[in-house]
Amino acid sequence: MSMGGAIATMIDTVTGTHATFLSGPVMTANLNINYRRPIPLGSTVLLESSLEKKEGRKTFITCRVTSTDGSKLHTETSALFLSITASHLLGG
Ligand SMILES: CCCCCCCC(=O)SCCNC(=O)CCNC(=O)[C@H](O)C(C)(C)COP(=O)(O)OP(=O)(O)OC[C@H]1O[C@@H](n2cnc3c(N)ncnc32)[C@H](O)[C@@H]1OP(=O)(O)O
């Protein structure tokens, strides 16, 4: 079975890339993952990332991890990304 942290990395990467595409530079503020069914090691899965809403600096994204045919739901996630400036990245 795949580890929860590895699954979270996959989800953070996909939703973070999606949020960056929509909103420019962002950081993950919140990642809320419900693990519904285990992911067998070595299996191929589908990640579907959707924009829920944008409110000012906040970009809310949802993400489902399913089997490739969509029949098995592995995880459901809601994520919040906050737009940041270059100075935030430098610790300012
Ligand atoms: C491959 C490409 C991937 C790209 C994406 C990569 C994403 C990452 O993994 S980044 C690494 C992990 N994330 C981090 O280390 C982030 C650490 N946290 C931070 O730096 C800051 O807390 C940060 C930037 C998220 C927010 O700080 P800051 O910009 O000062 O915002 P702040 O003023 O506290 O809050 C702004 C608003 O967001 C809300 N907010 C902030 N954090 C949260 C949170 N965790 N949950 C809910 N709401 C939040 C605040 O309530 C506030 O709301 P409102 O304006 O309505 O009052």
Side-chain angles (χ1 to χ4, degrees):
M1 295 304 136
S2 305
M3 282 187 66
I7 298 168
T9 300
M10 209 165 60
I11 294 168
D12 193 29
T13 304
V14 169
T15 55
T17 302
H18 189 187
T20 302
F21 175 75
L22 295 170
S23 304
V26 295
M27 285 188 95
T28 315
N30 181 266
L31 195 62
N32 186 344
I33 302 176
N34 287 315
Y35 294 90
R36 302 289 188 198
R37 279 173 182 241
I39 299 178
L41 268 185
S43 61
T44 303
V45 290
L46 188 67
L47 279 85
E48 192 178 341
S49 176
S50 309
L51 173 67
E52 186 189 339
K53 59 182 173 177
K54 277 184 68 162
E55 279 176 1
R57 293 176 55 215
K58 301 176 193 174
T59 303
F60 296 84
I61 303 274
T62 59
C63 182
R64 285 160 52 88
V65 179
T66 64
S67 53
T68 48
D69 65 0
S71 66
K72 281 199 189 100
L73 176 64
H74 295 295
T75 70
E76 287 175 307
T77 300
S78 55
L80 168 61
F81 294 89
L82 278 185
S83 295
I84 50 154
T85 57
S87 69
H88 188 92
L89 278 178
L90 298 170

